[in-house]
Amino acid sequence: QVQLVESGGGLVQPGGSLRLSCAASGSIFSIYAMGWYRQAPGKQRELAARITAGGSKTYADSVKGRFTISRDNVKKMVYLQMNSLKPDDTAVYYCNQRQGVDDYWGRGTQVTVSS
């Protein structure tokens, strides 16, 4: 059974940084794409960043140049380094693993950007 556990969220001032971590278990981690999605209050969940098994990265236009996704296949971890945070980045951030047509999700971690 796939388990994804996020950590690293919190309250940060505009312009600040946070690093999110996602620990994965229950699957052959290295062969699957991993992603970070986010959902703000009253809005649909949206992709923030994705990294394929081969290391190719995709970012939402709203986070390009500020966020960096990375993975460690030995530790079965995926990270999201978030810099120059804005109030619009406030959301619950979810870790995702895509296995073909199946999606697995963590419970999420809250990121709040506010002065």
Side-chain angles (χ1 to χ4, degrees), residues 15-52:
S17 298
L18 281 175
R19 188 194 194 206
L20 305 184
S21 299
C22 172
S25 61
S27 67
I28 306 172
F29 179 82
S30 63
I31 68 174
Y32 297 116
M34 299 294 298
W36 286 98
Y37 286 71
R38 63 185 186 180
Q39 188 167 18
K43 295 186 177 181
Q44 289 189 333
R45 193 173 297 188
E46 63 177 9
L47 174 70
R50 170 169 295 281
I51 184 167
T52 67

Side-chain angles (χ1 to χ4, degrees), residues 11-17 83-89 112-115:
L11 174 64
V12 63
Q13 292 186 341
S17 298
N83 298 328
S84 302
L85 283 161
K86 306 174 182 180
D88 284 349
D89 296 318
T112 302
V113 184
S114 175
S115 55

Side-chain angles (χ1 to χ4, degrees), residues 40-100:
K43 295 186 177 181
Q44 289 189 333
R45 193 173 297 188
E46 63 177 9
L47 174 70
R50 170 169 295 281
I51 184 167
T52 67
S56 297
K57 302 173 185 181
T58 303
Y59 296 97
D61 287 343
S62 57
V63 308
K64 280 181 182 176
R66 300 188 298 120
F67 290 11
T68 302
I69 190 170
S70 60
R71 64 189 296 161
D72 184 329
N73 289 336
V74 174
K75 295 181 178 179
K76 295 188 176 182
M77 298 287 293
V78 62
Y79 306 100
L80 186 68
Q81 178 67 44
M82 306 186 295
N83 298 328
S84 302
L85 283 161
K86 306 174 182 180
D88 284 349
D89 296 318
T90 295
V92 178
Y93 284 71
Y94 296 91
C95 182
N96 168 268
Q97 184 180 83
R98 177 157 294 170
Q99 297 186 14

